[in-house]
Amino acid sequence: MSQRRRSFSFTPEQGVPPAVAPFSHVTQWGSLLFVTGQMPTDPATGELVAGGLVEQAEQVRLNLLACLAPFGVDLDDALMVRVYLTDFTEFEAFNAVYRTWFTAALPSRTCVGTTGLAVGAQVEIDLIVGLPHATDDPTVDDPAEDDAAVDTGDPA
């Protein structure tokens, strides 16, 4: 069976902030998930969380976990993490918090310094995640087939 792209959008009730631009929260290609960069916004209010980089990074972590939950995976399944920071003087503080997010071996990572992020955020993180239980067999239940996850279309 040939692979196809499947895109999913989630709701604040699922712990994922509303999209601030035209994108899907997660796109699946075979056994890979591509998670759109998550901002430190509170899903309930859509507002940037109070505090500095550490507090913002924690909200980003929660938002990423909410995007991964419908697929039955977590940050330990991440293959690649891309971090965007607006202040590299906070690099070590971020790293100290980041290390606590994983119980398994750390994934590959790129950390980019930037002059600005949407909504005035200090951090944004996107992921590539492996689905250890993924299959191309259409008779096998898909963990992403959750009533709350919206498959936003098949481009085929």
Side-chain angles (χ1 to χ4, degrees):
M1 179 176 158
S2 65
Q3 293 182 349
R4 67 182 179 101
R5 183 184 74 180
R6 298 177 65 203
S7 296
F8 300 87
S9 293
F10 303 105
T11 66
E13 293 75 27
Q14 293 169 275
V16 181
V20 296
F23 59 78
S24 298
H25 291 106
V26 177
T27 298
Q28 181 181 1
W29 179 259
S31 63
L32 297 176
L33 296 178
F34 299 85
V35 181
T36 294
Q38 291 298 300
M39 306 300 290
T41 49
D42 182 329
T45 66
E47 300 293 323
L48 191 67
V49 296
L53 177 63
V54 171
E55 293 80 10
Q56 287 193 11
E58 175 60 15
Q59 185 63 55
V60 169
R61 183 186 72 82
L62 295 173
N63 295 348
L64 290 167
L65 289 172
C67 288
L68 297 176
F71 301 91
V73 293
D74 61 26
L75 291 173
D76 282 330
D77 297 297
L79 303 173
M80 180 66 186
V81 178
R82 271 186 299 259
V83 179
Y84 304 89
L85 297 175
T86 59
D87 183 356
F88 249 82
T89 64
E90 298 275 359
F91 184 66
E92 288 307 320
F94 174 78
N95 285 336
V97 172
Y98 176 84
R99 284 183 191 99
T100 69
W101 296 359
F102 303 91
T103 61
L106 294 172
S108 298
R109 184 182 100 174
T110 298
C111 190
V112 178
T114 183
T115 58
L117 293 168
V119 303
Q122 296 178 37
V123 60
E124 179 177 354
I125 301 174
D126 65 69
L127 305 172
I128 299 173
V129 177
L131 293 174
H133 51 269
T135 177
D136 282 336
D137 182 348
T139 64
V140 175
D141 287 340
D142 182 346
E145 291 298 325
D146 180 334
D147 291 336
V150 178
D151 188 340
T152 56
D154 178 5

